[in-house]
Amino acid sequence: MDNPKADRVKRVASLRQASVRRRLGLFLVEGPQAVREAVAYMPERVHDVYIDTSHNPHDDIISSALEAANPIYLHHVSTKVMEAISPDAQSIAAVVSSEGLIRTLDDIDLNPLNTEFSEIGSTSSDNPEKNYQPQTDLIVACWQARDPGNEGTLIRTADASGCRAIILVDDSAHPLNPKVVRSSAGSLFHIPVIQASTEEFFAWAEKHSLPIWAADIHGTQEHAPYDLVTVLADRNSGLVKPAATPIMLFGNEARGLPTEIVERAGRAVMIPLYGSAESLNLAMSGAVMMYSIAMAQHQG
């Protein structure tokens, strides 16, 4: 395919618009890593893959697509066509179905973790998708995370640290925003990603008696923040050996968490700052907290 003005190319490129994604129930996956994971973990969702083989043959992705039970249509395109589809595609992009991809709160598995396996992503006999197998008893939630790059990085980090799920609360960036998809580097196709309103989130946590820890450096008058090091050193803190799955709640990049949200959580925890920086950004704070908790649980 060599015509960047072809109708098919225009339709694929239009998936960068939120209104088109909602109307068609499709979204665009850009870049080798994200496309590779979509084809490997959810091949039945992948409709088409567009490849500029003049830059990279992507033989591994092509082989996986050809071996899929459902047909995945492969299109070899010119560099001009690939740039028309997406300037961020890095020579490969895929059109993927969004139906049912973003889960609900009731889809989160709260059963005791099964850590007696060697590979995350073992295949279920009655489900063509590879099943995500969490290894850390933690749920991550983000309240009004507006930056798509930060949100995608948090999804990736939650996946890498083995968390049960990530919940996008209130007016967060949409998880199928192209920058979120790229930043997640394929983790969007592994870990359960949920959207919920503030009220739905707190009601669900209360219903299941799940403790919420607000990642907040200030805390409130009634709930001064605990130091993360102190919390993780206390084996009875509920984060190292939790009686019920804890939720770590992060706030907006610019404003953090408002006082009323921290109050509703009932407890706050902060990352100690040993230098002169005022704070860490959202993605870095998320990485430090998730991995600290994961390593403490695994060491414990």
Side-chain angles (χ1 to χ4, degrees):
M1 188 183 301
D2 191 38
N3 181 8
K5 296 184 179 180
D7 288 343
R8 173 184 286 272
V9 176
K10 292 178 180 177
R11 284 196 300 271
V12 176
S14 71
L15 292 174
R16 285 181 280 167
Q17 303 172 33
S19 60
V20 177
R21 293 195 296 271
R22 287 193 298 269
R23 177 166 55 84
L24 298 181
L26 301 170
F27 68 106
L28 191 62
V29 177
E30 304 155 298
Q33 181 62 20
V35 173
R36 182 179 294 111
E37 297 306 290
V39 170
Y41 277 77
M42 297 186 176
E44 72 288 349
R45 293 184 179 276
V46 182
H47 291 206
D48 301 88
V49 175
Y50 295 85
I51 306 170
D52 176 5
T53 52
S54 66
H55 286 271
N56 188 321
H58 298 296
D59 291 337
D60 59 330
I61 299 175
I62 291 174
S63 296
S64 296
L66 292 174
E67 292 169 3
N70 298 317
I72 296 176
Y73 298 100
L74 300 172
H75 308 270
H76 296 282
V77 303
S78 67
T79 300
K80 289 187 296 183
V81 168
M82 185 57 68
E83 289 176 349
I85 288 174
S86 169
D88 300 303
Q90 301 175 62
S91 75
I92 188 166
V95 175
V96 179
S97 171
S98 60
E99 184 178 357
L101 179 62
I102 306 306
R103 318 288 183 85
T104 68
L105 290 166
D106 289 335
D107 292 327
I108 299 177
D109 185 359
L110 296 175
N111 290 314
L113 295 184
N114 174 21
T115 56
E116 296 179 2
F117 49 81
S118 58
E119 181 185 359
I120 294 178
S122 59
T123 304
S124 169
S125 60
D126 60 355
N127 187 348
E129 297 182 3
K130 292 185 178 181
N131 294 327
Y132 177 75
Q133 299 282 3
Q135 296 199 56
T136 300
D137 202 2
L138 180 69
I139 294 169
V140 176
C142 306
W143 184 84
Q144 292 192 1
R146 302 281 176 80
D147 183 277
N150 276 335
E151 186 175 295
T153 301
L154 288 170
I155 292 171
R156 183 179 185 180
T157 308
D159 173 21
S161 54
C163 299
R164 287 181 181 265
I166 181 164
I167 306 170
L168 308 176
V169 183
D170 204 80
D171 189 20
S172 294
H174 196 281
L176 300 185
N177 175 295
K179 191 172 182 181
V180 175
V181 178
R182 287 197 305 274
S183 300
S184 78
S187 290
L188 180 69
F189 305 109
H190 303 166
I191 188 169
V193 178
I194 289 90
Q195 287 182 301
S197 70
T198 299
E199 293 306 318
E200 288 170 340
F201 167 69
F202 279 103
W204 175 81
E206 183 178 1
K207 174 184 176 183
H208 295 282
S209 301
L210 304 181
I212 301 173
W213 292 76
D216 188 84
I217 197 168
H218 302 295
T220 68
Q221 200 166 26
E222 292 188 11
H223 300 288
Y226 295 95
D227 182 290
L228 179 62
V229 177
T230 303
V231 171
L232 296 181
D234 179 2
R235 297 178 65 84
N236 297 316
S237 67
L239 284 177
V240 179
K241 286 192 173 181
T245 300
I247 301 170
M248 183 58 64
L249 176 63
F250 298 94
N252 175 270
E253 292 89 349
R255 296 178 286 110
L257 290 167
T259 300
E260 61 268 23
I261 295 293
V262 179
E263 287 288 352
R264 292 184 72 172
R267 55 185 68 76
V269 62
M270 67 175 185
I271 298 169
L273 299 173
Y274 301 116
S276 301
E278 181 186 4
S279 63
L280 298 171
N281 70 16
L282 175 59
M284 182 60 71
S285 296
V288 170
M289 285 209 176
M290 284 184 239
Y291 259 93
S292 295
I293 294 166
M295 288 188 289
Q297 287 190 11
H298 285 263
Q299 185 180 31

